[in-house]
Amino acid sequence: MMPRQFTSYFKLISHSPEQTQRLGVSIGELALAGDIYLLVGSLGTGKTCLTQGIAWGLNIKEYTLSPSFVIMRELHGRLPLYHIDLYRLDHIEEIEELGLDDYLYGDGVCVVEWAEKGLSALPSEHLMIQINYLSDTERSFQLKPSGKRYREILGQLRHLSLDS
Ligand SMILES: Nc1ncnc2c1ncn2[C@@H]1O[C@H](COP(=O)(O)OP(=O)(O)OP(=O)(O)O)[C@@H](O)[C@H]1O
Ligand SMILES: [Mg+2]
């Protein structure tokens, strides 16, 4: 019999953009070189808002606008942040053609918006963050780890509260 993989999910609710940024800051503070964060969620759910928080948590002072027109933006803080947005990706082969592997397997922290568009070409070990729209101001965040490193992060985030 195959050993059963223990999967643990972590779900939390954000009641405002600021709370979403706060979740991002906590992730950014914990992030290590090589980490992969895959953001999945429909238009306007808060992927860029969360990324902004991650950037702040990495001590990046620049404002993280949605890269929409570029597939990759590189920002510099405690570690490099590679902010990838696959919204405009038409073919999965583009991930290789664009040389994104250099970033995905590089020395920085990768945050990928619209990760569902490129899942099969993205690293299999990652923290998936699935965002769902609940209401005008509320979003649910489901954190799903693949791999030891990401289960570790989940353990560190488990006691996080977004209310201040
Ligand atoms: N709890 C919340 N968390 C995050 N954003 C929220 C929340 N409540 C409302 N919002 C609003 O939702 C919008 C989220 O925009 P954002 O650009 O982060 O989404 P996105 O998922 O990156 O969109 P896109 O698919 O276009 O890249 C913002 O206008 C923000 O003010
Ligand atoms: Mg966005």
Side-chain angles (χ1 to χ4, degrees):
M1 209 170 89
M2 293 282 288
R4 244 175 80 192
Q5 177 72 37
F6 173 71
T7 44
S8 54
Y9 289 41
F10 177 43
K11 182 173 168 178
L12 79 186
I13 308 286
S14 160
H15 300 276
S16 66
E18 292 71 30
Q19 287 196 350
T20 296
Q21 286 164 344
R22 206 167 300 149
L23 170 62
V25 168
S26 298
I27 294 172
E29 286 171 351
L30 290 169
L32 297 178
D35 278 358
I36 306 283
Y37 299 95
L38 304 184
L39 311 190
V40 172
S42 48
L43 219 65
T45 40
K47 300 179 292 298
T48 301
C49 182
L50 181 74
T51 306
Q52 204 165 67
I54 295 176
W56 291 338
L58 284 166
N59 256 319
I60 290 165
K61 308 295 176 201
E62 297 159 78
Y63 189 76
T64 310
L65 289 168
S66 181
S68 288
F69 300 101
V70 288
I71 290 214
M72 207 280 297
R73 279 222 319 159
E74 186 174 340
L75 299 163
H76 291 274
R78 176 172 69 79
L79 293 168
L81 171 65
Y82 304 123
H83 181 188
I84 298 169
D85 192 331
L86 299 183
Y87 183 63
R88 276 156 206 282
L89 189 81
D90 293 318
H91 308 286
I92 204 151
E93 294 76 26
E94 287 178 61
I95 291 187
E96 263 181 59
E97 288 163 15
L98 290 162
L100 288 184
D101 278 2
D102 293 349
Y103 303 104
L104 292 167
Y105 300 95
D107 54 358
V109 174
C110 285
V111 175
V112 187
E113 293 194 41
W114 290 98
E116 63 268 47
K117 288 193 160 215
L119 223 47
S120 63
L122 293 169
S124 59
E125 299 216 346
H126 55 247
L127 184 68
M128 183 172 288
I129 302 175
Q130 205 166 320
I131 314 175
N132 283 295
Y133 177 97
L134 298 179
S135 77
D136 254 14
T137 56
E138 291 169 308
R139 309 288 190 264
S140 76
F141 286 80
Q142 283 184 63
L143 278 52
K144 303 177 177 179
S146 290
K148 182 170 174 281
R149 160 70 186 139
Y150 302 96
R151 287 193 292 273
E152 178 187 301
I153 297 174
L154 209 68
Q156 290 170 307
L157 287 173
R158 208 165 264 294
H159 303 289
L160 180 70
S161 159
L162 298 178
D163 313 303
S164 62

